[in-house]
Amino acid sequence: MHTIRVAIDGPSGAGKSTLARAAAAALGYLYVDTGAIYRTIGLYVRDQKIDPGEETAVAEILPEVRLELRYDVSGGQRMLLNDRDVSEVIRLPEISRYASAVSALPVVRAYLLETQRGLARKNHVIMDGRDIGTVVLPDAEVKIFLTASAKVRAERRCRELIERGTPQPFDEVLQEIEERDFQDTHREAAPLRRAEDAALLDTSALNFQQSLEALLKIIRERTDL
């Protein structure tokens, strides 16, 4: 079976997960949120009280981690960590920092690489993250770099946190996003960058429906759907 692989990369808060999930539902593809996978690793590292930047210590606990991706009736991805559903707790702001730190470790990226590629071999997928088009699926049929200004991303993140009942001041959210951008683009292991053959989609001036339509247009044009 020849599968179609859609790789969506971009900075934190660009709306990758929400848009990728909606596009996957529209096309009947499997949605894979790789950020949630790294967040789950980050959660386990935090729970074990390990410095997420200590590669040797993190490597020692990786064999203890049992990750499972499940999908609910609406197609939403659920993350299980050692049989525990952690889909909500991994979205806490604190876990973002752990996820960013562990995702910079080559040992963690190597550990998860085959898992991600295996999903793409068996299914038509839309996979989003930081290095999908450059490292995980470098020969993907469709590559898209999805972005928005830091200010717009912070505003969207603030609204999301309010809806979850965990509001944060705008200035704090903006600072966290700018710090995450710097970390993601300057790390040694698979830094965030736009693949040479990736289409650029800036959603700063677009609402959700407009962004989704633009995303689907790119996918359909590149796959002749």
Side-chain angles (χ1 to χ4, degrees):
M1 173 185 175
H2 174 69
T3 58
I4 293 175
R5 298 153 298 171
V6 179
I8 300 178
D9 292 308
S12 176
K16 297 186 302 294
S17 298
T18 307
L19 287 167
R21 184 183 300 111
L27 297 170
Y29 288 12
L30 181 69
Y31 166 60
V32 181
D33 176 2
T34 63
I37 300 174
Y38 283 104
R39 283 174 175 271
T40 303
I41 297 287
L43 173 65
Y44 191 72
V45 168
R46 186 204 67 171
D47 290 349
Q48 300 306 307
K49 297 180 172 55
I50 292 173
D51 182 340
E54 290 291 337
E55 186 165 16
T56 300
V58 172
E60 288 177 353
I61 67 166
L62 286 177
E64 305 169 10
V65 178
R66 284 184 290 108
L67 296 176
E68 185 179 351
L69 282 68
R70 291 185 182 173
Y71 295 86
D72 57 31
V73 292
S74 64
Q77 178 178 296
R78 308 295 299 181
M79 288 303 308
L80 273 69
L81 169 61
N82 296 343
D83 298 323
R84 169 192 170 205
D85 190 326
V86 295
S87 305
E88 275 73 43
V89 70
I90 61 173
R91 299 300 174 183
L92 293 174
E94 179 185 0
I95 304 304
S96 295
R97 294 190 288 273
Y98 276 84
S100 183
V102 299
S103 67
L105 302 178
V107 67
V108 174
R109 304 201 75 86
Y111 175 77
L112 295 176
L113 187 60
E114 181 53 34
T115 297
Q116 297 169 46
R117 286 178 173 170
L119 290 168
R121 280 195 294 269
K122 299 172 184 175
N123 309 274
H124 297 313
V125 299
I126 295 184
M127 191 177 294
D128 75 271
R130 302 290 195 280
D131 65 342
I132 308 305
T134 54
V135 176
V136 180
L137 302 175
D139 54 349
E141 285 74 12
V142 183
K143 298 179 188 178
I144 299 166
F145 192 84
L146 180 68
T147 190
S149 71
K151 180 176 180 292
V152 168
R153 287 184 281 134
E155 291 170 347
R156 292 172 179 171
R157 178 65 173 161
C158 281
R159 288 196 293 270
E160 179 183 320
L161 290 170
I162 290 172
E163 291 172 0
R164 290 180 178 169
T166 56
Q168 272 186 274
F170 173 80
D171 289 346
E172 286 184 13
V173 174
L174 178 59
Q175 182 179 350
E176 288 176 0
I177 282 178
E178 290 175 338
E179 290 175 352
R180 183 75 185 270
D181 286 352
F182 183 85
Q183 292 170 356
D184 288 343
T185 55
H186 288 77
R187 67 189 183 205
E188 290 186 17
L192 170 66
R193 64 180 178 84
R194 178 185 172 188
E196 291 182 3
D197 53 347
L200 177 65
L201 177 54
D202 188 325
T203 66
S204 298
L206 305 179
N207 61 29
F208 175 78
Q209 190 58 40
Q210 291 169 331
S211 299
L212 177 58
E213 290 172 0
L215 179 60
L216 288 170
K217 183 174 185 288
I218 294 171
I219 296 172
R220 286 170 172 146
E221 286 177 347
R222 296 200 172 197
T223 55
D224 295 323
L225 291 177

